[in-house]
Amino acid sequence: QITLKESGPTLVSPTETLTVTCSLSGFSLSTPKVGVGWVRQPPGKALEWLGLIYWDDDKRYSPSLKSRLTITKGPSESQVVLTLTNVDPADTGTYYCAHTEGSVSYVPDVWGPGISVSVSS
Amino acid sequence: VLTQSPATLSLSPGERATLSCRASQSVTSNYLAWFQQKPGQAPRLLMYRTSNRATGIPDRFTGSGSGTEFTLTISGLDPEDVAVYYCHQAGTSPRTFGQGTRVEIK
């Protein structure tokens, strides 16, 4: 059974760096045609696609965040890390990681429960 | 840009719900997906590549369309279908979501 779970701080100060870790279970990001995507949702608003890392370490980012956003594998094989630098209150929201694979056209098919992050001084 | 309509849909149990998603440019390979999000929950994948149901999705959910016009139809609305529905294009980068359609039961 594929599961994912996000972990990290729930409160971050403006200008600091947000780091959210996604722990993977039931699959490996080393398997061909597999990926992990990130999506966030400001309170009461729509979903926003952030980025995606593929099994071969290829990555795609939202252009609006590309200069501040990094998605990496590790530190363990069953983890993916999202790093967002110089955060602003507009970065407040629930951050989700999700499994994806080629058979579903690389859309998020299994989601973590999400982690709620507030950016405030 | 994906534009969903209507913003809110209020129907009686058993009625048919028709949700629209319009893209500002043609969606590559019809890589259009639909998600359902209930209050306080993570989104759930309903449909991918326009008309393919995800695992465990009942056949009263149907996706259709091509190019720039896509539709999600829910036949026989059930109270458990109360949620916000999002379309999502995965054909080109950056991927995008629509702003959502809220489905309510009268």
Side-chain angles (χ1 to χ4, degrees), chain B residues 9-17 60 74-82 103-106:
Chain B
L9 198 53
S10 186
L11 296 168
S12 299
E15 288 193 299
R16 171 176 294 191
R60 56 198 182 82
I74 310 172
S75 304
L77 198 63
D78 187 280
E80 70 176 19
D81 299 331
V82 169
V103 173
E104 301 175 342
I105 295 285
K106 283 183 182 175

Side-chain angles (χ1 to χ4, degrees), chain B residues 9-71:
Chain B
L9 198 53
S10 186
L11 296 168
S12 299
E15 288 193 299
R16 171 176 294 191
T18 302
L19 287 67
S20 174
C21 177
R22 176 173 293 177
S24 58
Q25 57 191 53
S26 186
V27 177
T28 302
S29 302
N30 290 331
Y31 277 13
L32 193 287
W34 290 91
F35 293 88
Q36 176 193 66
Q37 187 178 33
K38 297 183 178 180
Q41 296 185 15
R44 178 175 72 147
L45 177 64
L46 296 177
M47 315 289 301
Y48 63 95
R49 216 176 296 138
T50 300
S51 58
N52 294 271
R53 288 185 201 89
T55 303
I57 302 304
D59 59 7
R60 56 198 182 82
F61 288 90
T62 302
S64 62
S66 65
T68 61
E69 300 279 348
F70 298 87
T71 301

Side-chain angles (χ1 to χ4, degrees), chain A residues 9-103:
Chain A
T10 58
L11 179 64
V12 183
S13 297
T15 74
E16 290 191 342
T17 296
L18 169 66
T19 301
V20 181
T21 299
C22 179
S23 297
L24 319 177
S25 179
F27 73 101
S28 171
L29 194 47
S30 301
T31 303
K33 308 290 189 183
V34 169
V36 172
W38 289 90
V39 174
R40 72 179 179 182
Q41 186 171 36
K45 296 189 177 180
L47 302 170
E48 178 185 7
W49 183 81
L50 300 182
L52 174 60
I53 184 168
Y54 295 93
W55 81 98
D56 60 359
D57 212 35
D58 191 15
K59 300 161 191 176
R60 297 288 184 269
Y61 294 111
S62 168
S64 65
L65 294 172
K66 191 171 184 178
S67 63
R68 298 193 293 131
L69 180 64
T70 304
I71 300 172
T72 58
K73 296 181 183 179
S76 82
E77 272 198 10
S78 61
Q79 291 179 319
V80 173
V81 178
L82 176 147
T83 303
L84 186 64
T85 62
N86 191 26
V87 297
D88 176 87
D91 296 312
T92 293
T94 299
Y95 285 73
Y96 297 99
C97 61
H99 168 275
T100 187
E101 60 182 46
S103 66

